Amino acid sequence: MSFVELEQEKLTAILEACYSYYRRTEDSRQDDRLIPNAREFIASQLRPDMRVLDIGCGNGATLLEHCHRFASGLGVDHDPAHVGLADEALRESECTNVEFRRLDFPSDAHELEPESFDFAFTERGPIGYDCHGIQAALRVLKDDGLLFCEMIGNLHHQEVSQTFGPGQTCLAHQETIRTLDQARAAMERNGVSIRIAADIVRKRYYPSIYDWLQFQCRIWTWSGKPLPSPDDVRFPLFAERNTIPSGEIETTHHVVWIGGVKRSGDSHCDERG
């Protein structure tokens, strides 16, 4: 296989830049046909009398965007930088019914009052991947409360894994559940009556490998994986494998949606996941 030639100076500049997960700079487009939006789905479930918990709230965008739809909302995240971004956005907003707190979920979930929320959700956050995260979320939900998880699926960034190997992540010790069938079984075993279960697969397209690398550096930096060197032979290999006829770099993005209702007095911790 003949590798494409890449500009070492461009690669070096990108790899030496500073990255934040929520400070996006890369250019890309997505094929969103027939692809539902998680934030819009979450909004459709909100009611004026609800107390809402966003687990792994990141920059707080979901709660702040929809604060007019619920009575009160709490966003928690283990990363102080993310909570700082959320607090900054809160100060710039007109929301008075939302707060953000640094909290490592699920290990510190005991700090939240049991059965005090009507709706708990996470967008690629720290619950859904094993029994402990699911149980921690159910503990703070009222009976008949709603639980929704958007989880990273097993096909996510498969092109990157095939070339660069599996990525490290701060959730690595939890990520035993990565398929829809596993997620459905774990939720049902632990006291959730399933209402929605879906694989959401989309394609993302980057104008060049340099635009893709800017995105990927954010992921690698966030997950703690060391960045490759500019002369890493896997860069031209990746470009060779994933450049489509339009000249763009194509990658797969895969998430699992799983959600339902907490069954009254019917939850338990199953060590199988």
Side-chain angles (χ1 to χ4, degrees):
M1 177 180 295
S2 60
F3 291 167
V4 297
E5 294 186 6
L6 302 179
E7 298 181 37
Q8 292 297 305
E9 290 185 2
K10 280 189 176 182
L11 293 175
T12 299
I14 293 170
L15 290 166
E16 291 181 351
C18 294
Y19 294 94
S20 168
Y21 186 78
Y22 287 101
R23 304 295 189 188
R24 298 187 61 170
T25 57
E26 81 285 347
D27 184 21
S28 67
R29 66 180 180 88
Q30 298 185 101
D31 185 346
D32 287 328
R33 293 174 296 175
L34 301 180
I35 300 297
N37 180 279
R39 192 172 296 175
E40 292 175 359
F41 174 77
I42 290 168
S44 73
Q45 306 306 305
L46 298 172
R47 301 291 182 268
D49 60 343
M50 279 184 168
R51 188 179 185 212
V52 180
L53 177 64
D54 183 351
I55 302 169
C57 64
N59 62 2
T62 300
L63 286 181
L64 294 176
E65 180 177 340
H66 299 296
C67 63
H68 60 288
R69 300 178 184 272
F70 52 78
S72 64
L74 172 65
V76 298
D77 200 293
H78 79 285
D79 190 327
H82 292 177
V83 176
L85 289 173
D87 281 335
E88 180 182 349
L90 177 61
R91 288 191 293 270
E92 296 175 355
S93 75
E94 297 181 357
C95 293
T96 59
N97 61 338
V98 170
E99 66 173 305
F100 298 104
R101 184 187 310 174
R102 183 184 178 189
L103 187 143
D104 191 358
F105 204 100
S107 61
D108 294 331
H110 61 275
E111 297 181 13
L112 301 175
E113 183 181 354
E115 300 183 359
S116 58
F117 292 93
D118 303 285
F119 183 22
F121 67 86
T122 186
E123 298 170 271
R124 311 187 190 190
I127 63 173
Y129 296 104
D130 65 14
C131 164
H132 304 293
I134 295 169
Q135 280 296 305
L138 291 174
R139 175 185 173 276
V140 301
L141 270 182
K142 299 176 182 177
D143 286 345
D144 295 324
L146 303 182
L147 176 62
F148 173 75
C149 300
E150 181 184 57
M151 303 155 53
I152 298 297
N154 61 316
L155 301 179
H156 196 62
H157 295 173
Q158 62 179 347
E159 297 85 0
V160 179
S161 297
Q162 289 167 357
T163 304
F164 292 90
Q168 294 172 305
T169 165
C170 55
L171 296 174
H173 65 289
Q174 293 181 322
E175 290 184 346
T176 57
I177 299 174
R178 296 294 298 275
T179 70
L180 181 60
D181 288 344
Q182 291 172 336
R184 183 197 295 270
M187 287 285 191
E188 289 179 339
R189 286 199 302 266
N190 290 290
V192 178
S193 179
I194 302 298
R195 296 293 189 272
I196 183 171
D199 278 309
I200 311 294
V201 179
R202 73 182 72 207
K203 293 292 186 177
R204 179 173 285 178
Y205 304 91
Y206 303 87
S208 71
I209 189 173
Y210 308 107
D211 298 283
W212 163 80
L213 183 56
Q214 289 184 61
F215 167 82
Q216 191 59 42
C217 282
R218 289 196 303 112
I219 303 300
W220 281 334
T221 300
W222 169 78
S223 67
K225 182 172 182 176
L227 301 183
S229 62
D231 60 354
D232 194 311
V233 296
R234 291 175 294 181
F235 285 130
L237 176 61
F238 180 84
E240 186 76 28
R241 287 176 170 176
N242 300 293
T243 300
I244 60 176
S246 66
E248 298 170 298
I249 297 290
E250 179 186 77
T251 62
T252 302
H253 288 238
H254 174 211
V255 294
V256 170
W257 283 15
I258 191 79
V261 179
K262 176 183 175 180
R263 295 194 296 260
S264 176
D266 189 32
S267 63
H268 66 280
C269 189
D270 189 316
E271 293 183 356
R272 291 174 294 175

